[in-house]
Amino acid sequence: MSIALPKKAEVVIIGGGIAGCSIAYHLTKRGVKDVVVLERKQLTCGTTWHAAGLVSMLWPTPTLTKLAEYSHELYASLEAETGQATGYKRIGSLSMARTEERMEELRRTASMGAAFGVESEFISNARLQEIYPGINTDGVIGCLYIAKDGQTNPIDTTMALAKGARMGGALIQENTKVEDIIVEHGQAVGVRTDQGTIMANKVVLAGGLWSRDFAQDLGIDLPLYACEHFYVVTEEINDLTPRPVLRDFDKGVYFKEDAGKMLVGWFEHNAKGLPMSRIAEDFCFDQFECDMEHIEEYLMRGLETFPTLGEVGIRTWFNGPESFTADNLHLLGPTPELDNFWVACGMNSKGIGAGGGMGKLMADWIIDGYPSGDITDCDVRRHHPAQRTDDYVQERIPEALGHTYAMHWPFYQYHTARNKQLSPIHQALTDAGACFGEVGAYERPNWFAKPGQKPAYEYSYKRQNWFANYAAEHMAMRNSVGMVDMSSFGKFAVTGKDALASLQHISAADIDVPVGKLVYTQWLNTRGGIEADLTVARMDDERFWVVTGIGSFNRDWWHLNKNLQGSDVQVTNVSQDFACLSVQGPNARKTLQKIADTDISNAGFAFSTGRYANIAGVKCWLQRISYVGELGWEIMVPAADATKLFAAIHQAGAEFELANVGLHALNSLRLEKGFRHWGHDIASEDNLLQAGLSFTAKPDAKDFIGKQAFLQQKSAGLPERRLVQFKLHNPEPLLYHNEPILMNGDYVGYLTSGMYGHAVGAAIGMGYVNIPNLSKDAIATANFSIEVAQQHCPAQASLQGFYDPAGERMKG
């Protein structure tokens, strides 16, 4: 029954699926009663209703694993609280492996889960057949069993959340279409519907696959795209006993027993994109025609795994819409383009499993102004503008869907939506044998092939085909000289009389330095968390350059623009106007002094300074700084002259065998030094004390965002967690990230970064050790190990990098 809409609400939520109802439920739990949920048709009618309802304990990332853990806790208690049945039960899950590489992946996943208390075990084929009668185990070499995994009924669970929200005071209104958002002075202040207008302090878009089109009308490009998603449900199968969810990853197929019938679904490698033009205006619990030619291969694979399917009929041939993102991670949080406007979409077939945790996190974020946990990899601000275009999402997202059950190889590169952003020297890099990787839609050289070698990945969890190439690049920079194309840097020119005041307000470090000085700084939030990690160059009294990584480009751009001070300050994105060539290594000075018309001696060009200079006849901004811990310079060169300069540097460095160096080597070089990477090692939920970066803050010099929080954290003494470097004793195992850290036999954290340290002769990594008041002496005397695919590998621990910890080489 329709109820008259209120004139005003604290929060209006658009969308009545699992996301919208969970957020409403959790807002009321926090005491926000004035909540309105608006659903265009009926609750769950978009995507939620046809979900498989899997509630797994273990997900590919720590963030998703934490969301799922809470979902289990919530779903187990909802029926008792609301009286609405949910169908939640813990039936367990089985994940099969048919190759040694898949076994390695499952072992690594099980290890990550152990760090979060997820219990799992590998079982024999005989045990698998006991648990799952009728299964064909031919070709199965291992199986991961998680006894506490669960499943739930998506519609009933959503209805329980809706009922709980209503019990808490929320209004949930069906058959009410939101037609547009009311915007005043850059803020969302309400919604217009076909039933009337509601003003609101905050508006949340949880509209599932409709979210991209809805947001585009507001100038917000969400990297979201719908695909067709298929499954079948059999007729009743005699003697089909309740059993765990079964995933046959190598065949791309999953099985779920449901009231004596079997649901069989898949994530096909050639997924079918679904443009919104195919979604009818009155879409409600609708389905699409089942493309038999498209699904036949996967149906046959399911028949091979569970032959009983061939003995029964199919009751339901299902094809429905599902929305996905380019990286298979959610889109959550406030949008930078429009204040007081939030999104919660892009569930990637994980909406039921993550829905409970996501709803709590979003409610906490809306009320407190920050999320109740690290959400960096799901933050809606993470994508570069080039990743949010129609072309990019339509090309990439169907491939991303197919990657759900594919091998999650280290350093995997997608094939679609490539060459969207190119370096000014892209062709020269190609000619030099570059094998490119994509970050932020930008093509970057990850490693360089030798003559006669194909610049292409051959994936493995062990040493991949480029391991020797990148080892040579790494050591060239340590022993002689190498050049990295860093043109993907975000470069923002900040100018005007109020430029300095703005950067002082935002930056923890002191930016009021002489012209030509570089400042390494963090931008903090009011809680002292690290919002950005970057370099500021003072190029003139009223002109600065902010240089940041491509992965944090969008966040940093908006953070800067939203915190400007005064009226005379301008910010210009000059990222595409300049290339950046980084020349690093003991022979970097000898190389550049041949072609630079400025004094680059140690006395004439101090570390952490920059100046304009002609290099090979090209006027450039030359700055002495290093992300690899060696003597070196970054050269900001006009894009039109970059190829000319690239060739000139190679010619000058020929006698020193100057090497082209890719981003893989850059990563291992910076890890040997213990240099942090924003988004991996540091983010908005980590503070300077925890990250070992408190030396950068200058609270005695000036005020800045987060100063009071920083001073309180500093006065509290040793933090409750610390970022620690690790080096394995055994030179054979490889580290990537998410491997658990054990201290004296107990799980105390996981690695945020990992790579092979060629100059130190073993894999290295860093990660937070979650032990309060952990001193340097305690670290030195403890027994540390890193768990790699369920094997405990003894490791040396240090608060400093393992290579040149005093930094003498880059300052010499």
Side-chain angles (χ1 to χ4, degrees), residues 222-224 325 329-333 343-346 378-380 382-383:
L222 298 177
L224 186 74
T325 64
L329 295 167
H330 311 321
L331 300 175
L332 304 177
V343 298
C345 56
C378 291
D379 195 314
V380 70
R382 68 187 181 273
H383 293 95

Side-chain angles (χ1 to χ4, degrees), residues 427-436 445 447-451 453-456 469 473 660:
Q427 188 57 53
L429 296 169
T430 301
D431 295 342
C435 182
F436 292 97
W447 57 276
F448 288 84
K450 299 182 185 303
Q453 180 185 13
K454 185 179 180 181
N469 302 61
E473 295 168 22
N660 288 310

Side-chain angles (χ1 to χ4, degrees), residues 528-598:
I530 302 171
E531 290 290 336
D533 178 79
L534 40 76
T535 301
V536 179
R538 188 165 199 174
M539 306 175 88
D540 207 337
D541 287 341
E542 297 180 1
R543 180 176 177 81
F544 301 79
W545 263 25
V546 174
V547 180
T548 189
I550 183 70
S552 56
F553 172 97
N554 196 53
R555 285 181 53 104
D556 296 350
W557 171 257
W558 284 106
H559 187 85
L560 174 61
N561 277 277
K562 284 182 176 292
N563 289 287
L564 297 175
Q565 303 291 294
S567 58
D568 187 3
V569 55
Q570 300 81 43
V571 180
T572 307
N573 175 19
V574 297
S575 302
Q576 299 301 310
D577 299 336
F578 294 87
C580 176
L581 304 179
S582 180
V583 181
Q584 305 280 332
N587 288 321
R589 178 178 286 124
K590 293 178 181 178
T591 297
L592 292 178
Q593 68 187 6
K594 295 182 180 183
I595 53 176
D597 71 351
T598 189

Side-chain angles (χ1 to χ4, degrees), residues 58-225:
L58 197 52
W59 292 98
T61 72
T63 295
L64 296 182
T65 299
K66 292 175 183 177
L67 296 183
E69 179 183 13
Y70 175 82
S71 293
H72 275 282
E73 297 172 1
L74 174 65
Y75 298 163
S77 63
L78 266 181
E79 183 172 351
E81 176 190 349
T82 66
Q84 166 69 51
T86 63
Y88 173 79
K89 53 186 176 182
R90 292 201 123 149
I91 40 76
S93 73
L94 298 159
S95 297
M96 300 192 300
R98 296 178 179 275
T99 67
E100 289 296 339
E101 293 283 17
R102 181 70 74 176
M103 278 296 291
E104 171 92 355
E105 177 173 291
L106 290 178
R107 288 191 184 102
R108 285 177 175 267
T109 302
S111 286
M112 186 195 77
F116 294 96
V118 178
E119 298 176 0
S120 63
E121 62 174 317
F122 282 90
I123 61 175
S124 67
N125 282 0
R127 175 68 175 138
L128 172 58
Q129 289 171 328
E130 290 177 10
I131 298 174
Y132 213 96
I135 190 172
N136 175 14
T137 59
D138 290 348
V140 177
I141 65 171
C143 184
L144 178 66
Y145 178 42
I146 302 177
K148 293 184 179 181
D149 266 0
Q151 68 181 48
T152 195
N153 183 297
I155 293 178
D156 290 346
T157 301
T158 303
M159 292 302 182
L161 289 167
K163 185 175 181 181
R166 288 188 178 105
M167 290 166 61
L171 170 65
I172 298 179
Q173 185 81 346
E174 298 180 298
N175 298 305
T176 304
K177 181 183 177 182
V178 176
E179 296 177 331
D180 61 79
I181 304 297
I182 303 171
V183 177
E184 295 178 0
H185 309 296
Q187 296 184 354
V189 297
V191 300
R192 292 189 183 91
T193 81
D194 58 1
Q195 304 295 318
T197 296
I198 308 178
M199 306 305 289
N201 291 330
K202 295 181 175 68
V203 178
V204 182
L205 176 59
L209 57 101
W210 286 270
S211 297
R212 178 172 174 82
D213 283 359
F214 201 101
Q216 277 187 325
D217 291 339
L218 302 168
I220 301 167
D221 293 316
L222 298 177
L224 186 74
Y225 191 61

Side-chain angles (χ1 to χ4, degrees), residues 403-622:
H403 193 58
T404 303
Y405 273 16
M407 287 292 300
H408 297 91
W409 298 115
F411 314 108
Y412 178 78
Q413 298 296 321
Y414 284 102
H415 300 290
T416 56
R418 298 298 297 265
N419 297 316
K420 300 297 185 182
Q421 291 196 93
L422 302 181
S423 165
I425 63 168
H426 182 81
Q427 188 57 53
L429 296 169
T430 301
D431 295 342
C435 182
F436 292 97
E438 176 241 341
V439 174
Y442 204 106
E443 299 292 330
R444 310 192 302 175
N446 278 351
W447 57 276
F448 288 84
K450 299 182 185 303
Q453 180 185 13
K454 185 179 180 181
Y457 283 88
E458 296 174 12
Y459 295 112
S460 171
Y461 273 97
K462 304 297 192 293
R463 286 159 172 75
Q464 296 186 13
N465 62 310
W466 48 268
F467 190 85
N469 302 61
Y470 117 94
E473 295 168 22
H474 181 116
M475 295 311 298
M477 209 164 247
R478 287 283 183 245
N479 296 329
S480 184
V481 61
M483 178 163 47
V484 186
D485 177 34
M486 300 296 293
S487 301
S488 62
F489 273 150
K491 312 168 196 78
F492 310 143
V494 186
T495 58
K497 293 184 182 300
D498 295 319
L500 175 60
S502 294
L503 290 171
Q504 286 285 65
H505 172 67
I506 299 170
S507 305
D510 187 3
I511 311 300
D512 192 4
V513 294
V515 171
K517 180 67 176 172
L518 310 179
V519 182
Y520 170 54
T521 188
Q522 287 74 41
W523 293 347
L524 308 182
N525 54 44
T526 55
R527 294 168 289 121
I530 302 171
E531 290 290 336
D533 178 79
L534 40 76
T535 301
V536 179
R538 188 165 199 174
M539 306 175 88
D540 207 337
D541 287 341
E542 297 180 1
R543 180 176 177 81
F544 301 79
W545 263 25
V546 174
V547 180
T548 189
I550 183 70
S552 56
F553 172 97
N554 196 53
R555 285 181 53 104
D556 296 350
W557 171 257
W558 284 106
H559 187 85
L560 174 61
N561 277 277
K562 284 182 176 292
N563 289 287
L564 297 175
Q565 303 291 294
S567 58
D568 187 3
V569 55
Q570 300 81 43
V571 180
T572 307
N573 175 19
V574 297
S575 302
Q576 299 301 310
D577 299 336
F578 294 87
C580 176
L581 304 179
S582 180
V583 181
Q584 305 280 332
N587 288 321
R589 178 178 286 124
K590 293 178 181 178
T591 297
L592 292 178
Q593 68 187 6
K594 295 182 180 183
I595 53 176
D597 71 351
T598 189
D599 181 4
I600 61 171
S601 67
N602 199 39
F605 206 134
F607 180 75
S608 194
T609 65
R611 67 174 72 121
Y612 284 105
N614 287 322
I615 306 175
V618 179
K619 185 179 180 181
C620 306
W621 174 263
L622 182 65

